[in-house]
């Protein structure tokens, strides 16, 4: 059993990551905290709670986190994820309620209660994680595996020419988090899923069709570039329908920015790394983040050759296997959608 602490800014690719994790039989959601990023933090929490319930994971504690970054104003991305964060999808209102606890307190209390046992996955700006480390400086030692989706090293940024979105939203938090890991043993260092490898995880219309087929949908789920923008899915499978509507928006966004009718599902890959289900390799590095320069704010820099003379503080993913990643996604999320439609909300049997 993998016991997960998550921090998200749901978000289309966060939603897909949540659906994937919900499909796995050996994943326990300890708590999910919300960071402001793709949308404001209260919308993030509502999206997250609604997505978990849609996937049959009820009674997961979903917590509202920091409303703004540590040192700069909040910027959100309605053009990327839609005004509510889930593209064209409109999820059923959740029956549960968002927790009233403090997000940083949730992380600290959970890590202290189960030292060395929890896997942490952050697919959002690092605001809540930085605040939790301020409260408990031993947090990097108390957590087991830590996976961060963020940064860009030898790859063009997706927000500025050099900066990736999550890090650009709160570069001060990212700088604090990486500083907190200096000098720890290699096995304790965070695994960083940067754009260098997450942008290789290109979801395409064929993958949506295959998801629906795996779910047992009677009609092909076709999300195609020649269809009208904003066309809504007619699938009789609720999970497939909502994922299709969300992903169509993501395809349209990427096409508007001349990247093709595709979707980079960064957070799904990070979720697979956290769950231990996807292939990847890493390189040790010392990472720092630019916070002062208006031109370079949010830029992540990796020293692989120890030119700075500082201890390593990250394991940066250097390779992955997109084909195997999508085979896994189709099998697992398609299987979950089928079971939910059949009234079986339990995760699939262990493999």
């Amino acid at each position: 059993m993998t016991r997960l602490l998550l921090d998200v800014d749901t978000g289309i690719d966060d939603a897909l990551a949540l659906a994937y994790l919900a499909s796995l039989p050996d994943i326990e959601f300890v708590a999910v905290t919300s960071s402001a990023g793709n949308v404001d933090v209260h919308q993030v929490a509502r999206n997250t709670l609604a997505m978990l319930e849609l996937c049959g994971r009820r009674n997961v504690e979903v917590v509202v986190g920091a409303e703004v970054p540590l040192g700069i104003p909040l910027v959100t991305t309605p053009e990327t994820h839609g005004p509510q964060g889930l593209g064209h999808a409109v999820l059923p209102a959740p029956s549960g309620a968002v927790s009233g606890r403090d997000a940083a307190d949730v992380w600290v209390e959970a890590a202290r209660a189960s030292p060395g046992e929890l896997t942490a996955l952050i697919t959002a700006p690092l605001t809540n994680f930085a605040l939790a480390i301020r409260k408990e400086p031993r947090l990097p030692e108390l957590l087991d595996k830590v996976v961060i989706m963020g940064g860009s090293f030898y790859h063009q940024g997706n927000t500025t020419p050099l900066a990736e979105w999550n890090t650009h939203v709160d570069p001060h938090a990212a700088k604090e988090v990486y500083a907190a890991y200096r000098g720890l043993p290699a096995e304790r260092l965070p695994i960083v899923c940067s754009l260098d490898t997450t942008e290789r995880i290109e979801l395409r219309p064929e993958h949506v069709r295959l998801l629906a087929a795996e779910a047992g949908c009677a009609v092909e789920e076709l999300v195609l570039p020649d269809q009208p923008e904003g066309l809504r899915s007619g699938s009789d499978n609720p999970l497939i329908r909502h994922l299709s509507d969300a992903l169509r928006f993501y395809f349209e966004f990427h096409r508007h920015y001349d990247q093709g009718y595709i979707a980079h599902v960064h957070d799904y890959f990070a979720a697979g790394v956290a769950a231990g289900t996807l292939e990847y390799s890493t390189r040790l590095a010392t990472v720092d983040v630019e916070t002062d320069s208006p031109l370079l704010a949010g830029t992540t820099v990796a020293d692989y050759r120890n030119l700075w003379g500082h201890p390593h503080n990250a394991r940066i993913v250097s390779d992955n296997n997109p084909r195997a990643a999508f085979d896994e996604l189709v099998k697992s999320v398609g299987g979950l959608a089928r079971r939910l439609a059949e009234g079986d909300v339990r995760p699939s049997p262990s493999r």
Side-chain angles (χ1 to χ4, degrees):
M1 181 66 68
T2 298
R3 303 182 63 215
L4 274 180
L5 271 172
L6 284 82
D7 193 85
V8 296
D9 63 337
T10 315
I12 295 168
D13 54 334
D14 304 76
L16 186 64
L18 287 168
Y20 174 65
L21 292 169
S23 75
L24 300 178
D26 54 356
I27 291 293
E28 174 192 346
F29 292 90
V30 175
V32 185
T33 55
S34 307
S35 282
N38 291 323
V39 288
D40 76 81
V41 71
H42 297 282
Q43 185 66 51
V44 168
R46 288 192 292 271
N47 290 350
T48 302
L49 190 60
M51 193 68 203
L52 287 169
E53 290 190 4
L54 180 66
C55 293
R57 294 287 189 130
R58 298 180 179 273
N59 303 316
V60 175
E61 184 177 18
V62 175
V63 185
V64 172
E67 296 188 356
V68 294
L70 297 184
I72 58 176
L74 173 65
V75 178
T76 58
T77 55
E79 73 281 2
T80 307
H81 293 271
Q84 305 303 316
L86 295 176
H88 299 305
V90 180
L91 270 59
S95 59
V98 173
S99 170
R101 292 208 291 162
D102 175 80
D105 286 343
V106 167
W107 276 67
V108 171
E109 291 169 15
R112 285 174 176 169
S114 303
E117 297 179 12
L118 301 183
T119 294
L121 171 62
I122 305 104
T123 62
L126 289 166
T127 315
N128 287 333
F129 196 29
L131 291 172
I133 291 172
R134 286 182 181 183
K135 289 190 173 190
E136 174 50 276
R138 296 183 303 123
L139 190 58
E141 301 168 60
L142 292 171
L143 294 168
D144 184 17
K145 185 178 182 180
V146 175
V147 179
I148 294 170
M149 192 280 124
S152 182
F153 300 100
Y154 291 112
H155 194 282
Q156 182 91 135
N158 62 358
T159 304
T160 73
L162 293 177
E164 174 273 335
W165 169 254
N166 283 339
T167 309
H168 189 265
V169 169
D170 197 340
H172 298 87
K175 191 177 186 75
E176 287 190 23
V177 167
Y178 287 116
Y181 275 91
R182 281 188 184 171
L184 291 184
E187 65 271 14
R188 287 291 185 207
L189 300 182
I191 300 168
V192 180
C193 303
S194 71
L195 296 184
D196 302 64
T197 47
T198 64
E199 289 216 337
R200 298 182 66 206
I201 310 298
E202 293 184 351
L203 190 143
R204 298 176 181 273
E206 175 67 5
H207 296 124
V208 180
R209 187 189 70 80
L210 291 171
L211 273 171
E214 184 71 24
C217 297
V219 178
E220 278 193 309
E221 188 65 21
L222 300 177
V223 181
L224 302 175
D226 57 353
Q227 292 174 329
E229 291 198 352
L231 183 68
R232 301 291 292 277
S233 170
S235 176
D236 59 350
N237 185 294
L239 181 56
I240 295 298
R241 181 170 67 251
H242 292 301
L243 287 177
S244 178
D245 286 344
L247 289 166
R248 183 185 293 276
F249 189 98
Y250 221 22
F251 291 148
E252 293 166 358
F253 161 77
H254 284 79
R255 181 169 60 183
H256 290 165
Y257 283 81
D258 299 321
Q259 297 181 67
Y261 202 70
I262 63 169
H264 291 127
V265 287
H266 317 273
D267 297 343
Y268 160 63
F269 173 68
V273 171
T277 55
L278 299 186
E279 300 174 31
Y280 67 96
S281 55
T282 64
R283 293 179 65 190
L284 284 168
T286 303
V287 173
D288 208 341
V289 183
E290 176 58 43
T291 57
D292 297 325
S293 166
L295 183 65
L296 302 176
T299 299
T300 46
V301 182
D303 179 6
Y304 291 106
R305 298 167 59 193
N306 201 29
L307 299 176
W308 287 331
H310 298 315
H312 292 141
N313 60 0
R315 293 176 283 171
I316 299 174
V317 175
S318 56
D319 196 18
N320 56 10
N321 186 334
R323 180 184 294 275
F326 283 114
D327 288 346
E328 169 69 9
L329 178 72
V330 167
K331 177 182 176 182
S332 294
V333 176
L336 173 64
R338 182 181 64 252
R339 295 192 303 276
L340 291 168
E342 293 169 352
D344 182 359
V345 297
R346 296 170 297 174
S348 61
S350 298
R351 302 171 198 181

